[in-house]
Amino acid sequence: MTLNDIQSGESAVIKQVHGSGAFRKRITEMGFVKGQVVTVVKSAPFKGPVEYRIMSGTVSLRRNEARLIDIDIAAPEEEIAAHPFEPIYKDRSGLSEGEGSSRKIRIALVGNPNSGKTTLYNRLSRSNERVANYSGVTVGIKETVFSYRGYEITFTDLPGTYSLSAYSEDEVIVRDYLSNTQPDIVVNVVDAGNPERHMYLTTQLIDMGVQVIMALNMYDDLRYRGDKLDISTLGRLIGVPIVPTIGRQGKGIYRLLSRIIKVYEDREPVIRHTHINYGKELEQSINRIESELEQFSEALEGQHLRYYAIRMLERDDYCMHKLARYEEFEDVRPVITEEITRLDQLFREDIETLISNARYAFIAGALKETYRKGKRDRALSRSQKIDKVLTHRYFGFLIFMLILFGMFHATFSIGQYPMNWIEAGVDWLGRNLSALLPDGILHDFVIDGMIGGVGGVIVFLPNILILFFIISLMEDTGYMARTAFIMDRVMHIFGLHGKSFIPLVMGFGCNVPAIMATRMLENKRDRLLTMMIIPFMSCSARLPVYILIAGAVFPGQAGNVIFLMYIIGILFSVVMAMVFKTSLFRKSEAPFVMELPPYRAPGMRMVLKHMWLKGAIYLKKMGGVILVASMIIWALGYFPREVELSRDYGQLISEKKAQLELFEGYGQETAGVQVMDSTQLSEEIQDLETARMNEQQAGSFIGMIGHAIEPVIRPLGFDWKMGVSLLAGFSAKEVVVSTMGVLYQVSDSEENTVSLQEKLRDEKYTSGERKGQKVYTPLAGFSFLIFVLLYLPCVSVIATVGRESGSWKWSAFVVFYTTFLAWFASFCVYQIGSLF
């Protein structure tokens, strides 16, 4: 009988785990070991993954993966007897110790994903690193230095990892850092709500022989549930000092720092050199290999030989390659092979599984003597109640789509009010500066170049903040992890991993951190495939363009059009995933093994802080790339000044102004003008000024560029100004808006303020077969939006793809294929639409 055979609410005892390679390694590390009780919680929509409760946590597996786990039916109340706690204590001579005479301490923060590690780091360093309630948020190494009690302490925040087995990119980073850097102390952050599962990493750190201090984080959750843990006894049993902390409240931080100094100064009595007892036969093999490795102790620079011996039995490629550089290792290799063969024949079971079982037996034995669970798990119960609605097997997908629809509609509709206020402020600033500055190049540079460019983009800040606020809520509550659970079945159809959906949703905020978040995917194929389609996720930089064009062309349905653009982006991503699945990435798929964190009430202070930090990045662009781009666009459009015009616009405008002054001063008859009122004269003056500006721009450097690319973009329904805006958007998509703000300027004589949207709405062709027709028709506007959605990402995204993929050829590929796809899609939209 397999785990897939039992229904929701039923429990069973794990008898054996089949499968091989990455799946078996990961699933045993997450607690699916012989003798553990596992309970079915619920199924995802569309017969997707199944959520299981094991070791006080929840993990989701696909059904075909659940079939690889043999079970025995057990009553829910049945208790599995813990393995007797039989560690091996050694003297401290083999334990790496801090340099007591040095006043510098190097600390590494290591822990499971979503254990609150980065929250602790932020509290310790007063930093603002990104945190969220799902795994894979920390995607690189963060470092901070500060002073405490006369010591210079360097804290390094490493990515979350379930083990040191190098199953994923994050685990490789952690393992390499600990092996190569060898910090003085490792602070192992453990979730107090699930110590049994999280302490698996602790046992590996013990094997590694590093100085460990356990930060028992989210300790308030443990007390809230009524659990009891004898911290001092547990610390003495495993030889590791334990400090309870509540990272999000900053509690226990100074106790942790004091304990670090105490350990570094070798004044901590709790520390003992503990060995996990792997049983007689395994210990015999470990000891034999360890003795053979003695000759490499100098080459390994003090690293623990026992750790290497265990890794050799686990067939760890990294350790093998590290020692294979030495000729002497060829004498050791046969011994390793002999011991592995002996154990395989003796136990008829995978050695990695034997070692994992022994580690969990060590943990269970220690907790049996020190840990007492409360009568009910309130936090989990609360999460289950919420999940009954949000991840319902029939309505979960619909609810998720409604949340997305509400997010994008709120971004436009609610953001419209503060957007109008900022727009009015920008107009007020422009009018007042225009009155103060004398006519000339400086006046035009400040008003048309700087304010026209930057002001056209900054008005969309409220919309950006609203979008980031809602995404931060999804991240901090834990709902973001559920999106992968809900969507795995759908994503699987299109060749994507369920976890890919998290970076894709993050892409709605910014594509750069979304591409970095692909590190949470264990399979390189899945990482590359996800990177290739993330650019189709409408990032916040595209949002100002959507709002501008949709508001100008579809004023009554702008919110729906914007939502449609996001949906089209998702559809293009899944279609391209199917194409890539059958062409570039034909490899076996990775298993879906994902932890679902409990829901947590989002701290409004942190949500607002995250929102503002992301909004600050948008503001920094105003004074950086957008300002520079606006200045360049203005200069290209302003020079050369000697452009041959079709008419003497200066003379014509002067005559009309003189007529208007006479009309206003003496009336129509005295002025001798054949007009009904002054309004028509004003409109004629404005038309002449607009025509002069258009001809001046057409003959400028930017006009030359625009007309050069016009044959390529004309079939898409674009004029040269739209083409230039798209070219400028390569640096950052917001520059599309700032470029339009510079190009679509009107005369300074304009008395009534006209928004950029109104200018686009009224823009007409001034020459050619389309002369007099509107430029931004609904069809041309929609074609333009499609192009903005699909065409090449900004420079930052291109650089990130190259860095994360390990090859710049993938960056070049993204540039080429997204641009071609954008042109082809816009061509089809405009040409087919023109037939109707």
Side-chain angles (χ1 to χ4, degrees), residues 481-531:
R482 267 72 181 179
T483 63
F485 177 73
I486 293 169
M487 295 297 296
D488 178 69
R489 178 64 176 170
V490 177
M491 302 289 280
H492 189 58
I493 295 172
F494 298 108
L496 290 165
H497 195 281
K499 287 184 183 178
S500 297
F501 198 70
I502 294 178
L504 290 176
V505 174
M506 289 174 61
F508 291 144
C510 179
N511 286 175
V512 172
I515 290 171
M516 296 174 69
T518 58
R519 292 183 188 176
M520 71 172 62
L521 299 166
E522 293 84 3
N523 187 290
K524 186 175 182 179
R525 164 198 175 276
D526 292 326
R527 287 197 299 274
L528 285 173
L529 178 55
T530 306
M531 285 183 206

Side-chain angles (χ1 to χ4, degrees), residues 429-452 634 638 641 745-750:
L429 177 64
R431 288 196 307 271
N432 282 273
L433 282 177
S434 181
L436 291 174
L437 294 172
D439 290 342
I441 187 172
L442 178 62
H443 174 280
D444 294 342
F445 173 72
V446 173
I447 303 303
D448 299 338
M450 297 178 66
I451 295 179
W634 174 84
Y638 194 80
R641 298 307 296 165
Q745 292 295 326
V746 293
S747 169
D748 296 335
S749 64
E750 183 181 17

Side-chain angles (χ1 to χ4, degrees), residues 219-239:
Y219 192 67
D220 52 334
D221 286 351
L222 181 143
R223 293 188 298 185
Y224 178 75
R225 292 193 305 268
D227 295 352
K228 302 291 183 182
L229 178 63
D230 188 341
I231 292 175
S232 58
T233 301
L234 178 62
R236 286 196 302 271
L237 287 175
I238 65 176

Side-chain angles (χ1 to χ4, degrees), residues 546-567:
Y546 294 166
I547 294 173
L548 175 67
I549 302 301
V553 182
F554 308 100
Q557 299 293 326
N560 293 332
V561 171
I562 293 171
F563 178 68
L564 179 62
M565 298 312 301
Y566 282 88
I567 296 300

Side-chain angles (χ1 to χ4, degrees), residues 765-779:
Y765 287 100
T766 57
S767 61
E769 59 184 18
R770 300 179 186 175
K771 184 176 181 181
Q773 298 178 15
K774 285 194 173 184
V775 174
Y776 288 89
T777 62
L779 184 57

Side-chain angles (χ1 to χ4, degrees), residues 575-716:
V575 169
M576 292 310 301
M578 292 180 68
V579 173
F580 291 143
K581 177 187 176 183
T582 58
S583 55
L584 296 177
F585 305 107
R586 294 181 183 176
K587 289 186 180 179
S588 58
E589 61 187 27
F592 183 84
V593 182
M594 184 174 183
E595 184 179 18
L596 295 180
Y599 285 104
R600 302 188 189 280
M604 196 52 59
R605 175 178 168 272
M606 290 305 298
V607 171
L608 293 174
K609 187 176 183 180
H610 294 162
M611 176 194 74
W612 176 247
L613 288 173
K614 293 169 184 174
I617 296 173
Y618 184 79
L619 284 176
K620 286 178 182 178
K621 283 186 179 180
M622 301 297 107
V625 63
I626 293 175
L627 177 60
V628 172
S630 299
M631 292 163 60
I632 293 173
I633 294 297
W634 174 84
L636 290 174
Y638 194 80
F639 298 104
R641 298 307 296 165
E642 287 78 27
V643 175
E644 185 176 344
L645 303 178
S646 62
R647 292 187 286 175
D648 187 352
Y649 286 102
Q651 179 65 31
L652 292 173
I653 291 172
S654 298
E655 291 176 359
K656 293 292 182 183
K657 285 184 175 180
Q659 292 175 353
L660 182 61
E661 289 176 2
L662 286 173
F663 178 86
E664 291 175 344
Y666 303 101
Q668 178 176 343
E669 293 181 4
T670 306
V673 187
Q674 301 299 317
V675 293
M676 296 301 296
D677 53 35
S678 62
T679 303
Q680 186 171 334
L681 268 177
S682 299
E683 290 177 353
E684 289 181 3
I685 293 171
Q686 181 178 327
D687 289 342
L688 286 170
E689 290 178 335
T690 301
R692 179 174 63 178
M693 182 193 70
N694 287 336
E695 287 196 32
Q696 177 71 37
Q697 284 184 339
S700 66
F701 293 127
I702 201 167
M704 298 175 192
I705 296 171
H707 288 300
I709 64 172
E710 198 168 17
V712 179
I713 61 175
R714 188 181 296 116
L716 314 182

Side-chain angles (χ1 to χ4, degrees), residues 777-789:
T777 62
L779 184 57
F782 189 70
S783 175
F784 187 80
L785 289 175
I786 291 293
F787 197 95
V788 170
L789 165 67

